Amino acid sequence: MGTFNEIYKRILFVANCQTQIDLAGILEISQSSISDAKRRQSVPSDWLIKLYDRFGVNPDWLREKKEPMYLRGIATIDEENSHFVLEDVSRGFMAKVYDTFCEKTPDGYTFKTLDEVVLPKNLQKCTSHVFNHNGNGMDPSIPRLALVGISAKKNEETMPVISGELYALHLPQEGIIFRRIFQNIADNTYTLCFEHPELPKNIISFESLQEKLLGKVTWVLHKF
């Protein structure tokens, strides 16, 4: 079973709440009941039942992240075909956020998990890894402390590189870095660039690029 804080975070998400006041209204309880639960570090089973009744949330997902997130949808009328359909109520998915410092072994990468975040459902198909960017030089495209979604290449496959796009690469001493990559057609090399033009560029071969390439940047979530 997850910790109280983990379960509480998932409860806030499915209830679409930002504050304790909002959650108390959804659960039809007093704020002091939520404070008591936090003090005891224990989630009352009544909360899980209420969330299932109102939103169809799977209690096992709240407690242990066992899929599916929802056990039922919301019945709506398909006016064109004149029948009821079940609408997916899922608003997002939980994703682990990794530190950019990691190790690469023959079996793959070893990542350190920093946090879990809820992301919009439409990002799930294009996201294999989420990193907390703790570097400089990639502003404004990837500000420091932004969350960066990656679509990683599979195993040792060759990944097509689109000139001018952002990619994630692994360097032994630095971990995961992000660079804008340009192809030099004349000699089939590639230039790795910071967003700041005054910072140094690196030119590497196609083979070296593929060896270091983790995947393509598919989205960046700025922290304000």
Side-chain angles (χ1 to χ4, degrees), residues 123-164:
L123 296 181
Q124 190 168 22
K125 290 184 178 180
C126 65
T127 306
S128 57
H129 299 77
V130 180
F131 293 99
N132 182 63
H133 175 54
N134 199 26
N136 296 301
M138 294 304 294
D139 299 271
S141 299
I142 310 180
R144 187 170 180 272
L145 301 183
L147 297 182
V148 185
I150 299 298
S151 176
K153 69 176 185 177
K154 298 178 181 178
N155 301 320
E156 297 301 319
E157 72 175 5
T158 297
M159 185 176 198
V161 175
I162 302 172
S163 189

Side-chain angles (χ1 to χ4, degrees), residues 196-211:
H196 291 187
E198 67 274 14
L199 293 176
K201 300 177 175 63
N202 298 103
I203 298 177
I204 63 175
S205 67
F206 175 78
E207 292 75 19
S208 180
L209 173 63
Q210 290 296 326
E211 180 184 352

Side-chain angles (χ1 to χ4, degrees), residues 38-217:
K38 287 184 174 181
R39 185 170 58 254
R40 295 193 308 269
Q41 290 291 289
S42 176
V43 176
S45 58
D46 289 351
W47 294 12
L48 308 185
I49 294 172
K50 177 72 71 172
L51 291 168
Y52 171 75
D53 288 341
R54 294 201 62 173
F55 304 114
V57 182
N58 182 359
D60 288 335
W61 182 84
L62 293 172
R63 286 187 294 243
E64 304 176 50
K65 283 189 67 180
K66 288 185 178 179
E67 297 289 346
M69 187 185 300
Y70 293 89
L71 294 178
R72 57 179 170 81
I74 297 175
T76 59
I77 297 178
D78 182 342
E79 295 182 358
E80 182 177 346
N81 298 305
S82 301
H83 65 267
F84 285 95
V85 296
L86 283 178
E87 185 178 281
D88 183 10
V89 298
S90 177
R91 291 184 294 275
F93 69 102
M94 299 289 293
K96 292 182 179 180
V97 177
Y98 296 124
D99 189 359
T100 51
F101 184 77
C102 66
E103 295 182 0
K104 185 179 181 182
T105 68
D107 297 326
Y109 296 91
T110 301
F111 297 111
K112 176 184 176 183
T113 301
L114 298 176
D115 196 6
E116 281 190 320
V117 295
V118 176
L119 297 172
K121 195 73 175 177
N122 63 346
L123 296 181
Q124 190 168 22
K125 290 184 178 180
C126 65
T127 306
S128 57
H129 299 77
V130 180
F131 293 99
N132 182 63
H133 175 54
N134 199 26
N136 296 301
M138 294 304 294
D139 299 271
S141 299
I142 310 180
R144 187 170 180 272
L145 301 183
L147 297 182
V148 185
I150 299 298
S151 176
K153 69 176 185 177
K154 298 178 181 178
N155 301 320
E156 297 301 319
E157 72 175 5
T158 297
M159 185 176 198
V161 175
I162 302 172
S163 189
E165 295 290 329
L166 292 166
Y167 290 86
L169 304 98
H170 177 264
L171 298 183
Q173 303 302 320
E174 298 184 53
I176 304 302
I177 65 167
F178 304 101
R179 295 290 187 273
R180 195 172 294 279
I181 298 180
F182 294 92
Q183 182 181 12
N184 306 309
I185 298 177
D187 57 4
N188 197 31
T189 59
Y190 290 80
T191 303
L192 312 183
C193 302
F194 289 95
E195 293 293 69
H196 291 187
E198 67 274 14
L199 293 176
K201 300 177 175 63
N202 298 103
I203 298 177
I204 63 175
S205 67
F206 175 78
E207 292 75 19
S208 180
L209 173 63
Q210 290 296 326
E211 180 184 352
K212 295 175 175 59
L213 195 61
L214 173 66
K216 187 177 186 298
V217 174

